[in-house]
Amino acid sequence: MKKWTSLLLSLVTALSLTACGSEKNSMSKEELLESAEEVSFSTLANDTYENAVKAKETYCATPIQISGWIQNIEEDHITLGNGGASYDVMIDAYLPTEDITTLVTGQKVTVVGINSDTEEKTDSWGGMSFPSTHYIMDTACLVQSRYEISGKLVLALGKVRFDDGTQYIKDIPNIDDGSFDGYQTGDELTISAVISYGDGSDAYSIIEAIPAA
């Protein structure tokens, strides 16, 4: 009887350990960054289009770092997309509440984490509904929400803007708050900016910026 009891206890323990292994990964942000592969949203989307099964094997269960634009903010996660380039592949990144409260819809962010699975959903954007594949990143950390851009200040249409050398010019909304005292139109500089996806006329817009240290 004791042998059977011992065997039963061993079996219960083994099953408990297996169940624990299926819970959310407990890796720290530093550990995730150390082992993560940096993936572009375009690559993720293209691989998913070409072979969703292979893409799931490639981009789930191992850490990845990826940058995208916030399409939606929920209580416990944000949904990232590829801006105007694609709406068919998304990432649901489950972040700490203290990080989510600092973000806004449309903002560019970089996250690191582990996708546990994919899920087919129906999303709405611009008054239209469409099917999309969501990667469920239930182990996620916010890596970056500000980005450095180099260019020059220019005066256009009565506004001071920032020209980064591309065909796009972006407004700096807080140019008059003292952050850029001492700079003049035409000065070359690097700014640290919170970036948002534009309305279609710009590649992106600047929510807030300061000269980079």
Side-chain angles (χ1 to χ4, degrees), residues 61-83:
T62 58
I64 66 169
Q65 178 177 320
I66 191 166
S67 299
W69 307 89
I70 300 176
Q71 306 294 322
N72 194 31
I73 298 178
E74 301 290 347
E75 183 177 352
D76 56 355
H77 72 277
I78 61 173
T79 298
L80 294 181
N82 199 22

Side-chain angles (χ1 to χ4, degrees), residues 9 11 40 43 55 67 70 78 90 102 110 115 171 178 184 202 205:
L9 287 173
L11 179 60
S40 72
T43 298
S67 299
I70 300 176
I78 61 173
M90 307 280 190
T102 66
T110 302
N115 297 317
D171 293 344
Q184 298 179 356
D202 289 333
S205 58

Side-chain angles (χ1 to χ4, degrees), residues 3 5 12-13 15-16 20 34 41 53 79 81 90-91 99 110 113 121 139 149 153 171 177 179 183 194 197:
K3 286 185 178 181
T5 302
V12 171
T13 300
L15 289 173
S16 299
C20 288
E34 186 176 350
F41 230 109
V53 176
T79 298
M90 307 280 190
I91 288 183
D99 287 336
T110 302
K121 296 184 178 182
T139 300
I149 315 169
L153 295 180
D171 293 344
D177 70 358
S179 299
Y183 291 96
V194 179
Y197 181 69

Side-chain angles (χ1 to χ4, degrees), residues 109-204:
V109 295
T110 302
V111 298
V112 64
I114 300 175
N115 297 317
S116 62
D117 205 347
T118 60
E119 184 177 340
E120 299 303 315
K121 296 184 178 182
T122 299
D123 288 300
S124 297
W125 189 258
M128 300 179 64
S129 296
F130 50 88
S132 60
T133 300
H134 284 238
Y135 285 81
I136 310 302
M137 187 180 279
D138 52 14
T139 300
C141 296
L142 182 64
V143 176
Q144 190 174 358
S145 58
R146 300 185 70 94
Y147 298 85
E148 289 194 355
I149 315 169
S150 295
K152 65 179 180 180
L153 295 180
V154 296
L155 183 61
L157 301 177
K159 294 183 178 181
V160 177
R161 297 181 168 183
F162 187 77
D163 183 355
D164 67 358
T166 72
Q167 60 181 318
Y168 304 108
I169 297 177
K170 301 89 181 173
D171 293 344
I172 299 181
N174 63 312
I175 193 69
D176 296 323
D177 70 358
S179 299
F180 290 85
D181 286 352
Y183 291 96
Q184 298 179 356
T185 297
D187 284 351
E188 298 280 348
L189 75 158
T190 299
I191 62 173
S192 172
V194 179
I195 305 171
S196 174
Y197 181 69
D199 60 5
S201 60
D202 289 333
Y204 54 82

Side-chain angles (χ1 to χ4, degrees), residues 34-112:
E34 186 176 350
S35 56
E37 176 186 358
E38 191 167 352
V39 179
S40 72
F41 230 109
S42 296
T43 298
L44 176 68
N46 289 336
D47 289 351
T48 303
Y49 298 152
E50 291 178 0
N51 190 326
V53 176
K54 183 179 179 180
K56 182 176 178 178
E57 289 185 353
T58 302
Y59 299 113
C60 289
T62 58
I64 66 169
Q65 178 177 320
I66 191 166
S67 299
W69 307 89
I70 300 176
Q71 306 294 322
N72 194 31
I73 298 178
E74 301 290 347
E75 183 177 352
D76 56 355
H77 72 277
I78 61 173
T79 298
L80 294 181
N82 199 22
S86 168
Y87 297 114
D88 296 336
V89 176
M90 307 280 190
I91 288 183
D92 290 343
Y94 286 76
L95 299 171
T97 301
E98 57 267 27
D99 287 336
I100 293 178
T101 56
T102 66
L103 306 174
V104 297
T105 302
Q107 183 178 348
K108 181 182 179 180
V109 295
T110 302
V111 298
V112 64

